[in-house]
Amino acid sequence: MKEFQTSKAIKRLPDQFFATLIDKLNAYESKGWDTINLGQGNPDQPTPDHIVDSLKEAADNPEFHQYPPFHGYTFFKEAIAEFYKREYDVDLDPETEVAIMPGSKTGLVELSQCFLDPGDVALVPDPGYPDYWSGIEMVGAEMKPMPLLAENDFLPDYEAIDSESWEKARLMFLNYPNNPTGAVADRAFYEETIKEAEKHDVCVIHDFAYGAIGFDGVKPLSFMQVEGAKNTGVEVYTMSKTYNMAGWRVAFAVGNPSVIKAIETIQDHYFCSIFGGLQKASATALLSSQACVDELASTYEHRRDLLLSGLEEAGYHVEPCKGSFFAWLRVPEGYSSQSFADALLEETGLFVAPGIGFGASGEGYVRIGLNNSEETLKEAVVRFKKFAEK
Ligand SMILES: Cc1ncc(COP(=O)(O)O)c(C=O)c1O
């Protein structure tokens, strides 16, 4: 069959790391292997009933069978503003400071399309969520990795960024609680970020995907809580992790009105918002009791404790992650992140994500997801022990 040539933009797209990873796992599973998937960040529990019920009810509403308003329903934007006020004491104008997005993965790609031209630089965390790269590559901009090192508590060192990169930089992606390292950021770090961003005229995109998942009694700080943040950029929040709604594809951005306007402008061309029923159920999630969220965070904390104490017994020390649902394990001497992940899969059926897939500074680590039941994590620990003893 004739093969049509794709555009240069499509050719520039990097391999989708997680898609490649899952292909590998599927190949092993199709051979009948007994695998445990610790590699993906896919929430394993169902969406709480009251949110599902709200969608069911909304599906019967003929108003939602029509095209939704281009920029989404006002009731959803107001719910988002109320959520930010209640959770973070942040004031948002629902009309100009909130944009609804069909999942934050899409939104993060759109943001590069909105603000970068060829030759511009985007500062990205390294290791970091690989989808930041997609939009940057698509527009032909340059990526400047900001190494996240253990000795800096996995925060970027702004002084290490050369002046030419600062000069060309237009966007900076940040993500705390962090995927993949599990680190969190404090107010001082965000204050420094705002200072640097203002000095170099860089727009900050804070990806708050794991905002609801903080451990040891510490609630992760929203970037928007820090003075000056709204002037400096936006925060992207997804329903996927907080409410186990990954399959629903609902997210939003809040903050700087010019950035919100750009998101809505690009979306006017891509989408006509998202199904009204999804917006209704998402508003229900944000405005109802948050007991399900507290329970979720404590479930992940228990799983973290169980996994880390088991790994410790197996001889692998992992610093407890402070948020997100990932453990960032330094691979034993003699292995690369890929060779350790491969050996673990071949010898035990344990599937972990090699750190190199998150950037050069991810080398030497693998990411272990906490998206499995305690029972499965106990079995994973047994296999880690066997692997360590061989
Ligand atoms: C750091 C980070 N940002 C964004 C996303 C995308 O979330 P979604 O597209 O489900 O909103 C993920 C998903 O794994 C993530 O880990």
Side-chain angles (χ1 to χ4, degrees):
M1 197 75 88
K2 177 172 169 153
E3 200 175 313
F4 292 97
Q5 281 299 310
T6 55
S7 65
K8 292 192 187 78
I10 295 295
K11 286 201 181 78
R12 275 197 301 269
L13 281 174
D15 278 348
Q16 221 293 348
F17 174 58
F18 291 106
T20 317
L21 211 60
I22 291 312
D23 285 348
K24 193 165 188 173
L25 177 66
N26 290 342
Y28 274 86
E29 282 180 344
S30 67
K31 287 189 222 155
W33 285 47
D34 173 21
T35 57
I36 297 180
N37 183 357
L38 303 168
Q40 250 184 316
N42 199 351
D44 58 307
Q45 294 167 81
T47 308
D49 286 345
H50 65 284
I51 304 172
V52 177
D53 289 343
S54 177
L55 174 67
K56 286 181 184 162
E57 198 182 307
D60 278 334
N61 183 349
E63 187 193 341
F64 295 144
H65 301 171
Q66 301 191 313
Y67 287 117
F70 265 86
H71 298 167
Y73 284 98
T74 302
F75 69 76
F76 185 28
K77 290 187 162 192
E78 284 174 352
I80 292 164
E82 199 173 322
F83 168 80
Y84 258 80
K85 183 69 187 167
R86 187 192 69 224
E87 294 293 322
Y88 303 111
D89 198 21
V90 168
D91 290 304
L92 295 170
D93 177 346
E95 216 171 293
T96 58
E97 295 177 343
V98 176
I100 295 164
M101 307 188 306
S104 63
K105 181 175 159 65
T106 313
L108 290 161
V109 173
E110 285 168 358
L111 278 158
S112 286
Q113 294 180 308
C114 288
F115 290 100
L116 297 174
D117 288 310
D120 288 339
V121 161
L123 302 165
V124 294
D126 170 20
Y129 178 61
D131 280 319
Y132 306 139
W133 314 341
S134 318
I136 301 167
E137 295 287 4
M138 211 183 266
V139 297
E142 246 177 79
M143 237 172 6
K144 173 74 185 172
M146 300 184 290
L148 308 186
L149 306 177
E151 60 259 37
N152 298 332
D153 297 324
F154 299 110
L155 299 169
D157 175 2
Y158 294 135
E159 284 183 15
I161 299 172
D162 61 276
S163 54
E164 195 193 337
S165 297
W166 272 126
E167 182 79 16
K168 288 185 178 172
R170 295 199 59 203
L171 283 186
M172 178 196 290
F173 289 90
L174 291 174
N175 161 231
Y176 293 100
N178 184 254
N179 173 10
T181 67
V184 296
D186 60 10
R187 189 174 285 275
F189 168 72
Y190 287 133
E191 282 168 356
E192 191 195 351
T193 301
I194 291 166
K195 208 171 92 205
E196 294 293 336
E198 280 182 350
K199 183 164 144 201
H200 300 286
D201 198 17
V202 172
C203 173
V204 177
I205 313 292
H206 181 238
D207 177 358
F208 205 29
Y210 300 93
I213 307 170
F215 300 142
D216 309 313
V218 180
K219 184 180 169 88
L221 198 66
S222 158
F223 178 54
M224 287 296 131
Q225 283 174 283
V226 182
E227 206 186 323
K230 213 188 268 184
N231 192 42
T232 315
V234 290
E235 184 156 83
V236 174
Y237 197 102
T238 175
M239 304 295 288
S240 296
K241 321 287 174 175
T242 309
Y243 303 100
N244 293 322
M245 289 171 68
W248 298 48
R249 316 306 308 132
V250 187
F252 46 89
V254 300
N256 186 280
S258 67
V259 182
I260 296 301
K261 192 166 172 216
I263 296 170
E264 295 195 326
T265 303
I266 198 169
Q267 293 193 157
D268 284 349
H269 297 269
Y270 275 149
F271 318 105
C272 182
S273 191
I274 52 175
F275 173 50
L278 290 173
Q279 298 187 52
K280 192 78 196 168
S282 299
T284 300
L286 297 175
L287 300 180
S288 305
S289 155
Q290 301 296 293
C292 57
V293 182
D294 297 341
E295 209 178 295
L296 185 73
S298 86
T299 298
Y300 285 129
E301 187 166 336
H302 278 122
R303 290 177 180 182
R304 176 201 67 170
D305 294 345
L306 185 153
L307 177 75
L308 265 48
S309 63
L311 285 174
E312 192 77 46
E313 283 169 29
Y316 301 107
H317 174 72
V318 184
E319 277 305 309
C321 44
K322 295 181 178 146
S324 83
F325 45 57
F326 301 111
W328 192 230
L329 166 72
R330 204 184 267 280
V331 301
E333 204 129 318
Y335 286 102
S336 67
S337 67
Q338 188 67 64
S339 70
F340 182 71
D342 288 345
L344 207 56
L345 181 60
E346 273 158 36
E347 291 175 35
T348 68
L350 290 177
F351 182 68
V352 296
I356 189 68
F358 300 91
S361 300
E363 185 48 272
Y365 290 88
V366 292
R367 191 192 74 175
I368 306 175
L370 302 172
N371 317 101
N372 277 290
S373 66
E374 292 198 5
E375 203 187 356
T376 307
L377 289 175
K378 279 183 193 156
E379 171 58 22
V381 163
V382 169
R383 296 190 195 187
F384 266 110
K385 280 185 185 154
K386 266 197 206 141
F387 184 80
E389 281 161 10
K390 78 175 165 46

